[in-house]
Amino acid sequence: MANPADKPDPNLSTHNLEPEDEEREELEDINGDGEEEEEYEGEDDDNSLASKPQTREDAAATRSRAESLFRRMGAAPVPVRVHDVIVNGNEKTKDHVIEAEVGVVRQATTLQELIKASKIANYNLEALDIFDSVKITLDRGPPELPGTTNVVINVVETESPLTAQLGAVTKAEARSSVLEGSLKYKNIFGYGDIWDGSLAYGCDNSAEVGLGMYLPRFRGRPTPFTSRVYLSTQDWLKFSSYKERTLGLSLGLVSSKYHDLAYTIAWRNLIDPSQMASRSIRRQLGHNLVSALKYTFRVDQRNSSFRPTRGYSFISTSQIGGLAPDSRTLRFLRQEMDLRYAVPLGYYRAALNFGVSGGITFPWGSGYKSRASYVPERFFLGGNISPVCSLGGPSALWGFKTRGLGPNEPRREVQDDQSGDTYERDFVGGDVAVTAFADLSFDFPLKWFRDRGIHGHVFACTGNMAELSENKYRNFTAPKFLETFRSSVGAGIVVPTSLFRMELNYCHILKKQEHDRAKSGFFLTFSTSS
């Protein structure tokens, strides 16, 4: 299912004319190929714009008119008015669903603008993920209305509305790969609706079952509406002595190219079956209600999410929890920001990527200064996931294990475990976190590697976090925070694929603190874009 945020801006205008050759390509690209040329001539009523010549003479005449049209388009805007939008082939899909996605074509006042708008409309329809093919042609309007055109949309509804997917992903906040499977049924009621069920299971005993629904246009809303019911379990016993179980409902209220607004209500339970939790963890065990509103602003102008060589990206996430009168509702504020920039260097496709991210969370309400922030809402750093891919906030640091640094407390007791799977301390997370990285990527001289996208990189990263709640902000000072930063450097080989980024790196730890879980050595990691 396509992300609505990836749709092009429907307000795109074409007041500046492009060269004749580019206009010719755009006319040909409306239908997705360059074999059929489309024409528009307001003064000629012999053939429609989308008609195909049947004889050599007709073909020559059509080509002559098309070349004349291209010359006119290269010289000045060609006025045109959309008379009607005609939809064909939608036996199940409602007309208004399609028309809502192609409304941009009605705003066009010139042929150049109409070509651009038709390409956007074509993309919007394909993004619905309910059609096997979409074809938009421009036909002549009524003879009594010169200078008009009809936009003809031919769609082929998918023959297999039921689809299944299976894959494995690795996330920055997880300590192992997660196997995910989903089953989707598309367009059941003809509103472009997509219903799905999903199941995810991780090697660390984490699991999630979910049922979701997606509507591109709900009661005339300009943005899609999504909803999801989920039941999840996260096992953090090894790192922080607790398991997290959540039953929740998530509603996507607004979803556009740059903005997302979602509301989540969930019943969350923290348990400690090991009976080893530290004092801070024990105080937060039990049930709580999460009622939170989350707003995300996102801009990503990079040319790739796996190997950016130019462009920038910025994401800001603001969250407020406690939007319910229940006394067990968690009241917290959380803000995250992430900025990335890629600069091409001009040789061997080399590029310098650097980024900085930060976040802060804090409880609110009566007596908030002396209250502890909720552990699942705190920040945890570590995990050998590439920061180049994990856009969203402070999380990954090369060379440090998952939840392997930051504030920690001794556990109640320590089991006699020689395998190294049991630790003496719980990592309890931080209320403020900052990370930064620099990554220099470059092609290898051998053509075999370049053809397959295999390249090398050298990198450096640093990060730190601290506690602020429970009046600990009084002891927070900038010099002390800077002195305790962790850092690492390294180099490696990157093998990008269409689904993930595989890296074989050697990482050297430059600086760590007592009780941090980090070591120098070789690491094989798999990262997905976020």
Side-chain angles (χ1 to χ4, degrees), residues 27 29 72 141 222 246-247 249-250 258 270 275 278 296 448 451 508 515:
L27 279 172
D29 286 344
R72 290 177 56 193
T246 307
L247 174 63
L249 169 66
S250 176
Y258 301 112
L270 302 186
Q275 302 297 313
S278 60
T296 302
W448 189 87
D451 292 343
H508 177 69
H515 305 302

Side-chain angles (χ1 to χ4, degrees), residues 207-248:
E208 180 175 329
V209 179
L211 295 174
M213 181 267 293
Y214 169 86
L215 278 177
R217 303 285 176 175
F218 178 67
R219 294 185 178 273
R221 291 166 51 88
T223 61
F225 174 81
T226 61
S227 64
R228 187 163 199 82
V229 179
Y230 61 92
L231 174 64
S232 66
T233 300
Q234 292 285 341
D235 187 347
W236 302 113
L237 285 173
K238 180 178 178 180
F239 308 97
S240 303
S241 293
Y242 73 87
K243 280 188 176 183
E244 177 184 337
R245 296 175 181 173
T246 307
L247 174 63

Side-chain angles (χ1 to χ4, degrees), residues 169-187:
V169 299
T170 302
K171 300 180 180 179
E173 67 273 14
R175 65 177 183 179
S176 63
S177 296
V178 178
L179 183 65
E180 293 185 345
S182 65
L183 193 64
K184 296 182 180 180
Y185 200 98
K186 305 175 183 179
N187 211 20

Side-chain angles (χ1 to χ4, degrees), residues 100-279:
E101 299 295 337
V102 302
V104 63
V105 300
R106 295 187 180 274
Q107 303 172 11
T109 58
T110 66
L111 187 55
Q112 289 89 339
E113 291 181 1
L114 183 57
I115 292 171
K116 299 281 189 181
S118 297
K119 294 176 69 175
I120 295 175
N122 192 297
Y123 180 92
N124 290 348
L125 291 176
E126 290 179 348
L128 291 178
D129 200 26
I130 59 174
F131 301 118
D132 286 337
S133 68
V134 178
K135 184 176 181 180
I136 298 179
T137 58
L138 307 181
D139 203 352
R140 191 173 314 285
E144 64 273 13
L145 297 176
T148 63
T149 184
N150 291 332
V151 178
V152 182
I153 303 173
N154 295 293
V155 298
V156 178
E157 295 178 330
T158 181
E159 294 183 0
S160 303
L162 188 64
T163 60
Q165 293 180 332
L166 183 66
V169 299
T170 302
K171 300 180 180 179
E173 67 273 14
R175 65 177 183 179
S176 63
S177 296
V178 178
L179 183 65
E180 293 185 345
S182 65
L183 193 64
K184 296 182 180 180
Y185 200 98
K186 305 175 183 179
N187 211 20
I188 299 178
F189 302 108
Y191 293 97
D193 48 299
I194 298 180
W195 304 77
D196 73 277
S198 63
L199 175 64
Y201 182 78
C203 299
D204 56 354
N205 297 321
S206 63
E208 180 175 329
V209 179
L211 295 174
M213 181 267 293
Y214 169 86
L215 278 177
R217 303 285 176 175
F218 178 67
R219 294 185 178 273
R221 291 166 51 88
T223 61
F225 174 81
T226 61
S227 64
R228 187 163 199 82
V229 179
Y230 61 92
L231 174 64
S232 66
T233 300
Q234 292 285 341
D235 187 347
W236 302 113
L237 285 173
K238 180 178 178 180
F239 308 97
S240 303
S241 293
Y242 73 87
K243 280 188 176 183
E244 177 184 337
R245 296 175 181 173
T246 307
L247 174 63
L249 169 66
S250 176
L251 301 176
L253 305 177
V254 175
S255 181
S256 63
K257 185 177 181 180
Y258 301 112
H259 309 277
D260 286 284
L261 182 65
Y263 172 75
T264 299
I265 183 168
W267 190 253
R268 184 184 287 168
N269 184 25
L270 302 186
I271 62 173
D272 173 27
S274 67
Q275 302 297 313
M276 295 171 53
S278 60
R279 178 173 175 270

Side-chain angles (χ1 to χ4, degrees), residues 232-508:
S232 66
T233 300
Q234 292 285 341
D235 187 347
W236 302 113
L237 285 173
K238 180 178 178 180
F239 308 97
S240 303
S241 293
Y242 73 87
K243 280 188 176 183
E244 177 184 337
R245 296 175 181 173
T246 307
L247 174 63
L249 169 66
S250 176
L251 301 176
L253 305 177
V254 175
S255 181
S256 63
K257 185 177 181 180
Y258 301 112
H259 309 277
D260 286 284
L261 182 65
Y263 172 75
T264 299
I265 183 168
W267 190 253
R268 184 184 287 168
N269 184 25
L270 302 186
I271 62 173
D272 173 27
S274 67
Q275 302 297 313
M276 295 171 53
S278 60
R279 178 173 175 270
S280 293
I281 299 297
R282 290 199 307 269
R283 287 188 304 172
Q284 299 201 14
L285 299 178
H287 295 273
N288 289 106
L289 178 66
V290 179
S291 176
L293 196 64
K294 182 178 181 180
Y295 168 72
T296 302
F297 173 78
R298 183 185 186 115
V299 178
D300 194 346
Q301 300 295 330
R302 299 175 298 172
N303 59 342
S304 171
S305 58
F306 288 123
R307 187 190 177 183
T309 57
R310 66 172 58 88
Y312 69 93
S313 63
F314 174 76
I315 183 171
S316 172
T317 303
S318 305
Q319 192 172 4
I320 177 171
L323 305 180
D326 194 292
S327 60
R328 289 169 292 182
T329 302
L330 298 175
R331 291 178 169 83
F332 64 92
L333 301 173
R334 181 182 171 103
Q335 175 66 47
E336 298 174 76
M337 303 183 78
D338 202 336
L339 176 64
R340 306 291 173 86
Y341 205 90
V343 181
L345 301 182
Y347 58 91
Y348 285 105
R349 205 186 167 203
L352 176 63
N353 276 268
F354 58 89
V356 59
S357 58
I360 185 171
T361 183
F362 215 76
W364 65 273
S366 177
Y368 70 94
K369 292 183 179 180
S370 59
R371 291 209 317 265
S373 57
Y374 195 48
V375 170
E377 304 302 334
R378 294 179 183 174
F379 296 96
F380 292 88
L381 302 183
N384 280 296
I385 305 300
S386 173
V388 177
C389 298
S390 58
L391 178 65
S395 59
L397 281 179
W398 276 299
F400 290 83
K401 292 187 176 182
T402 301
R403 296 198 177 198
L405 67 145
N408 57 85
E409 294 183 3
R411 290 182 173 179
R412 178 186 296 181
E413 60 180 277
V414 180
Q415 293 180 348
D416 184 13
D417 190 340
Q418 303 299 323
S419 66
D421 289 337
T422 300
Y423 298 96
E424 298 179 359
R425 308 183 73 86
D426 283 339
F427 285 84
V428 298
D431 300 310
V432 59
V434 178
T435 61
F437 80 92
D439 180 276
L440 175 63
S441 62
F442 51 88
D443 278 346
F444 292 117
L446 297 179
K447 184 176 182 297
W448 189 87
F449 288 103
R450 294 198 304 269
D451 292 343
R452 289 159 178 79
I454 302 174
H455 60 279
H457 73 140
V458 294
F459 55 84
C461 64
T462 184
N464 198 11
M465 58 182 173
E467 293 180 286
L468 299 178
S469 56
E470 292 185 292
N471 291 316
K472 293 180 181 178
Y473 67 91
R474 297 175 178 174
N475 301 322
F476 178 85
T477 61
K480 182 179 179 181
F481 188 67
L482 294 174
E483 288 176 2
T484 56
F485 259 75
R486 286 78 165 172
S487 58
S488 64
V489 296
I493 300 176
V494 181
V495 182
T497 71
S498 59
L499 300 177
F500 57 84
R501 168 184 169 123
M502 183 176 70
E503 299 181 21
L504 177 60
N505 297 323
Y506 176 80
C507 187
H508 177 69

